[in-house]
Amino acid sequence: MTRSGVAWYVHHHGSGHATRFRAISAHLDEQIVGLGSMARPSGLRDEISWVQLDRDDGLEPGQPSPQDLDPTVGGLLHWAPLGHQGHRRRLARIAQELTQRAVTALVVDTSVEVALLGRLLGVPTVLVTQPGRRGDAAHTLGLATATRIIAPWPAELLRPPHLADVQDSVVFTGGISRFEGRRSGRARPRTVLLLAGGGGAEVGAEDLRRASAASPDYTWALAGTLGGDSGSWQDDPWADLSSAEIVVSWAGQNAVADLAASDARAVVVPQERPFDEQRATAVALRDAGLAVVGPRWPEPDRWPDLLGEAGALEPAWRRWEVEGAARRAAAVVHGVATGVLR
């Protein structure tokens, strides 16, 4: 019997969408093709195919900026610039892959337009959602057309209003971390790791230098990018993450799941993201007592107190439900691909 096939759209912003793809796909037996603007992400299983798509946000000869090509259709969609050939070729290639391969489910992480394209072609969709203010027309449309919706966080701690009308389709999997099941190292006293990720931040190298200078009792290190500088990027920061006494992190879904996997004592500083995604997550962490949370990068003189507060935490990170989360998400994808979930 031919195996069912899964197409998986991976958004190009930051590294989190690709990281989640690797974590979940490791638990799937389906034939999988990944679709995204970036080159093939590292660490994918050899049997997973990858199709690099044209960009839909670049300047084209003789054309104005795509921002000026009515990309939102007056607020109905998020990104469909009129006359942009890259956008047209991108969606056409996705349609080609869905048509020519034995695709029985399309996972979308994250794009309303791609989710709609799949549904218009009659392909059941699994939409990965995010926290924040997502009650706009485009999100509402995309969520309503999804066969299933994966919310990669615990239902107990975060129930965004935009999921209320589609609650029967939502599966709260818990936080999906690539580090699930790894053992933490012994914490090195008075060490701080800034886990900056790859999705961009308002914080720069000078902010880190000033924070370090203001807290001389601690030794700071960086894993990730600040201000576009990738010099401190680590493909696998587990050793530093699991052995730091304090971790300073943004509030992206992958970062928070990694904090939970490492049982970190953390200071979480949400970064500006569309729809206030990170702010909503940070509020949930604060209310659950899982991390010290600040609304923005603190002034230097605040760091000694914040690090002291974080060091005194006894966070119950099991409440973020990382254990088994990737398998639970894979079960949703498998159920839709095999027709068990409709």
Side-chain angles (χ1 to χ4, degrees):
M1 181 179 293
T2 302
R3 287 189 296 168
S4 52
V6 172
W8 198 303
Y9 176 81
V10 182
H11 198 275
H12 58 268
H13 184 266
S15 60
H17 303 285
T19 299
R20 190 154 45 216
F21 176 35
R22 282 192 296 269
I24 300 173
S25 63
H27 300 287
L28 288 169
D29 291 329
E30 277 75 16
Q31 295 176 331
I32 301 173
V33 56
L35 309 162
S37 304
M38 71 289 281
R40 179 186 177 93
S42 62
L44 291 179
R45 303 197 320 269
D46 290 343
E47 60 267 28
I48 294 178
S49 303
W50 181 261
V51 174
Q52 187 168 356
L53 303 171
D54 284 29
R55 293 292 294 244
D56 60 356
D57 55 358
L59 288 174
E60 296 186 328
Q63 290 284 337
S65 166
Q67 291 280 3
D68 299 324
L69 297 174
D70 189 23
T72 70
V73 199
L76 182 63
L77 299 174
H78 288 152
W79 194 255
L82 284 169
H84 193 283
Q85 295 304 306
H87 174 72
R88 190 171 300 176
R89 288 192 299 270
R90 179 189 189 86
L91 293 188
R93 181 60 188 273
I94 294 173
Q96 176 185 333
E97 295 297 326
L98 295 180
T99 302
Q100 293 183 352
R101 298 175 184 263
V103 170
T104 53
L106 170 64
V107 182
V108 183
D109 186 358
T110 303
S111 165
V112 166
E113 291 73 28
V114 174
L116 291 176
L117 175 65
R119 185 61 186 86
L120 287 169
L121 292 173
V123 180
T125 60
V126 178
L127 186 60
V128 182
T129 189
Q130 295 165 293
R133 299 178 295 103
R134 299 178 187 273
D136 58 280
H139 275 116
T140 300
L141 179 60
L143 291 165
T145 61
T147 302
R148 283 294 185 277
I149 300 161
I150 290 174
W153 63 82
E156 175 198 356
L157 301 184
L158 184 55
R159 279 189 173 270
H162 69 274
L163 297 180
D165 290 340
V166 290
Q167 57 185 334
D168 291 343
S169 301
V170 180
V171 179
F172 292 90
T173 62
I176 297 170
S177 172
R178 55 181 164 156
F179 300 132
E180 178 192 347
R182 290 204 196 180
R183 296 185 63 180
S184 296
R186 179 174 296 179
R188 292 173 288 121
R190 298 292 177 171
T191 56
V192 181
L193 178 70
L194 174 53
L195 186 66
E202 306 94 69
V203 180
E206 179 61 17
D207 296 303
L208 173 58
R209 188 199 66 78
R210 295 174 67 203
S212 178
S215 48
D217 291 339
Y218 293 86
T219 300
W220 287 66
L222 170 65
T225 61
L226 292 177
D229 176 14
S230 60
S232 297
W233 179 259
Q234 298 180 34
D235 287 333
D236 187 344
W238 177 253
D240 290 338
L241 170 63
S242 63
S243 63
E245 181 181 3
I246 310 294
V247 181
V248 179
S249 172
W250 314 151
Q253 289 299 303
N254 284 272
V256 172
D258 291 347
L259 293 176
S262 63
D263 202 27
R265 289 171 168 83
V267 177
V268 172
V269 184
Q271 301 298 288
E272 290 294 335
R273 292 292 186 270
F275 312 104
D276 283 343
E277 171 200 340
Q278 291 205 10
R279 295 191 187 283
T281 304
V283 168
L285 296 176
R286 181 201 65 197
D287 292 349
L290 295 178
V292 175
V293 174
R296 63 189 63 84
W297 185 260
E299 291 298 319
D301 61 2
R302 286 281 295 128
W303 278 108
D305 287 342
L306 291 171
L307 296 175
E309 290 177 38
L313 286 174
E314 294 292 341
W317 277 116
R318 65 185 179 280
R319 298 180 67 193
W320 208 251
E321 299 178 358
V322 166
E323 185 176 353
R327 288 185 180 277
R328 288 189 287 274
V332 175
V333 176
H334 176 74
V336 172
T338 56
V340 173
L341 297 177
R342 280 289 186 264

